Amino acid sequence: MSPIAITGILAIDHVGIAVPDLAAAVTFYQDAFNAQVLHQEENQEQGVVEAMLAIGSEVGAKTGTPIQLLAPLTPDSAIARFLDKSGPGMQQLAFRVEDVRQAAAQARNLRIRTLYEEPKRGTHGWLINFLHPKDCGGVLIELIEEQ
Ligand code: MC0
């Protein structure tokens, strides 16, 4: 019997974009796309400083899928390595899930590698894991569970 697909995927939570300079990128998104900063924080464990943005007509209602700008805090962080190799651009697609441990276990059953055995803390302190881009058609997929 083939393994079941990952269940409990609720929505696209955010689209993550790697940038070298957070302030400059936020200004660009504000000026070009009428973006509004919803949230900004540092995550030392992930080595990033991030800004979550609403764009365009979604700004007033704050609906829709936010854009997450991610800048490196350290030269050896995942974002710094991504920028070195690929330059600025889309780095990840995040799916909000009901249960990140269950979704990760289901992914492993599908022979999709997860980057962590146990979830770590992401934006807002929510639980996160990642699916390896080489097992997902070249896309780094984040699984994120609201806490
Ligand atoms: C690497 N590759 C990617 C990729 N990063 N492909 C698509 N999207 C990406 N983001 C490709 C490389 O080009 C390479 O392909 C292969 O995967 C192996 O990569 P590598 O050169 O070994 O690169 P590393 O050492 O940087 O590792 C990649 C890996 C890493 C995905 C394991 O970035 C990682 O651990 N990411 C998860 C954590 C993370 O991204 N944190 C920052 C966001 P070739 O063909 O050359 O072999 S923090 C966050 O997102 C939090 C705050 C949140 O939202 O809650």
Side-chain angles (χ1 to χ4, degrees), residues 13-14 16 41-43 46-48 50 52 68 70 76-82 85-86 90-92 94 115-116 121-134 137-144:
D13 187 80
H14 61 264
E41 73 177 72
E42 275 187 20
N43 185 321
Q46 291 292 332
V48 297
E50 63 153 311
M52 205 66 91
Q68 181 190 44
L70 295 155
D76 60 341
S77 60
I79 295 298
R81 292 198 304 273
F82 181 88
K85 192 160 187 183
S86 308
M90 209 182 115
Q91 190 258 352
Q92 59 168 266
L115 296 189
Y116 312 135
R121 294 281 169 184
T123 306
H124 305 298
W126 294 359
L127 293 179
I128 61 169
N129 205 332
F130 290 89
L131 307 183
H132 200 288
K134 288 290 171 193
V139 179
L140 174 64
I141 294 183
E142 179 179 348
L143 304 172
I144 182 162

Side-chain angles (χ1 to χ4, degrees), residues 51-129:
M52 205 66 91
L53 307 179
I55 56 155
S57 59
E58 292 172 350
V59 165
K62 293 187 181 152
T63 59
T65 303
I67 290 173
Q68 181 190 44
L69 301 178
L70 295 155
L73 281 177
T74 59
D76 60 341
S77 60
I79 295 298
R81 292 198 304 273
F82 181 88
L83 288 168
D84 284 347
K85 192 160 187 183
S86 308
M90 209 182 115
Q91 190 258 352
Q92 59 168 266
L93 177 63
F95 294 159
R96 192 166 347 121
V97 296
E98 281 174 0
D99 181 332
V100 75
R101 287 185 177 85
Q102 177 181 289
Q106 290 174 325
R108 289 189 285 262
N109 278 339
L110 291 163
R111 298 187 183 281
I112 298 171
R113 284 167 287 172
T114 59
L115 296 189
Y116 312 135
E117 271 306 309
E118 278 298 309
K120 294 183 189 278
R121 294 281 169 184
T123 306
H124 305 298
W126 294 359
L127 293 179
I128 61 169
N129 205 332

